[in-house]
Amino acid sequence: DIQMTQSPSSLSASVGDRVIITCRASQGINIWLAWFQQKPGKAPKSLIYATSNLESGVPSKFSGSGFDREFTLTINNLQPEDIATYYCQHYAEYPLAFGGGTKVEIK
Amino acid sequence: EVQLVESGGGLVQPGGSLRLSCAASGFTFSDHYMDWVRQAPGKGLEWIGRSRNRIHNFDTQYAASMRDRFTVSRDNSINSFYLQMDNLKADDTAVYYCARAYYGSGTWPRIDSWGQGTLVTVSS
């Protein structure tokens, strides 16, 4: 099975900062990686699919990149409403798997 | 607008069973894959299983650790998706989410919509 490892597990950044979260797959997954945002007490929300494609309605401050085993989620101009835990997920083969999450806080 | 509404959660004793339901609306249900995902208190997301779409005969896929006790199914006549959970254990306590995995040409199905979740508590 493919394992997903996110880093860091948590981070603290200032308003206006650029934040980068990394997700690594234990095997190659081509571009089949998604990112999700989960705010406290809420259901997850889909942000990005196929590595770099924004879901409808997702602001362009979010972007994704990568290929095969290493991927990044970038959040530009961090704002208080971006406070959340972010998860990656591969969907290259079964079973699907999520990363452990990255909790983003404001400094 | 895609809407997914879970129901059926609650308190159940260890060893018991529970069936969760997910009512779907706003899209052609049989055209898309459907997933169950869970989240234990204070923990991350865990994929449980999937029902594929009509083109793939609605076949099912599971996480290895879930296959023995959990069963996903769907009733396309009423746009509903189910999770049957048997022999429940304390560490099955979690919020259970129903999710749509969008099926479209040129890309592999990915989760694009989530329900609000339903809490299952396994305790005596």
Side-chain angles (χ1 to χ4, degrees):
Chain A
D1 296 358
I2 299 172
Q3 315 297 324
M4 306 302 294
T5 303
Q6 282 183 238
S7 60
S9 56
S10 65
L11 66 89
S12 182
S14 299
V15 171
D17 280 355
R18 172 181 295 173
V19 166
I20 297 175
I21 299 169
T22 298
C23 179
R24 290 186 174 87
S26 60
Q27 301 172 39
I29 58 170
N30 199 315
I31 61 166
W32 307 119
L33 185 99
W35 290 96
F36 305 95
Q37 175 193 63
Q38 187 177 34
K39 296 184 178 181
K42 300 295 187 182
K45 172 187 174 183
S46 300
L47 290 181
I48 288 173
Y49 67 97
T51 297
S52 60
N53 296 273
L54 295 182
E55 293 284 0
S56 176
V58 173
S60 59
K61 64 184 303 181
F62 294 96
S63 63
S65 65
F67 178 73
D68 193 35
R69 296 183 60 186
E70 186 143 343
F71 301 85
T72 60
L73 172 69
T74 300
I75 309 171
N76 287 308
N77 187 25
L78 188 72
Q79 296 296 310
E81 59 266 28
D82 302 325
I83 297 315
T85 300
Y86 293 84
Y87 295 92
C88 63
Q89 183 210 34
H90 90 78
Y91 53 103
E93 63 179 43
Y94 297 111
L96 313 187
F98 291 91
T102 297
K103 187 174 183 179
V104 175
E105 298 175 318
I106 295 285
K107 196 179 292 182
Chain B
E1 178 194 4
V2 173
Q3 286 202 316
L4 302 169
V5 179
E6 300 94 336
S7 60
L11 177 64
V12 59
Q13 293 191 335
S17 296
L18 205 60
R19 189 175 88 150
L20 305 182
S21 300
C22 173
S25 61
F27 63 101
T28 304
F29 183 66
S30 58
D31 283 353
H32 297 282
Y33 295 15
M34 295 296 296
D35 286 2
W36 286 101
V37 175
R38 72 180 182 180
Q39 185 170 38
K43 303 297 184 183
L45 302 173
E46 183 177 24
W47 183 74
I48 297 171
R50 164 172 287 181
S51 170
R52 298 210 288 172
N53 61 4
R54 179 185 305 277
I55 293 172
H56 296 99
N57 297 314
F58 306 115
D59 71 358
T60 55
Q61 302 285 342
Y62 296 92
S65 62
M66 310 287 180
R67 185 167 302 147
D68 289 345
R69 299 184 296 117
F70 290 10
T71 304
V72 304
S73 62
R74 62 197 294 166
D75 185 339
N76 298 295
S77 69
I78 57 171
N79 293 349
S80 291
F81 184 50
Y82 304 102
L83 178 65
Q84 176 69 39
M85 303 185 292
D86 297 319
N87 189 21
L88 283 161
K89 309 176 188 300
D91 58 8
D92 294 318
T93 293
V95 175
Y96 286 74
Y97 294 102
C98 161
R100 182 184 82 164
Y102 177 85
Y103 183 88
S105 62
T107 185
W108 289 18
R110 87 280 183 176
I111 291 177
D112 74 332
S113 303
W114 297 77
Q116 84 287 352
T118 188
L119 176 63
V120 172
T121 302
V122 184
S123 175
S124 54

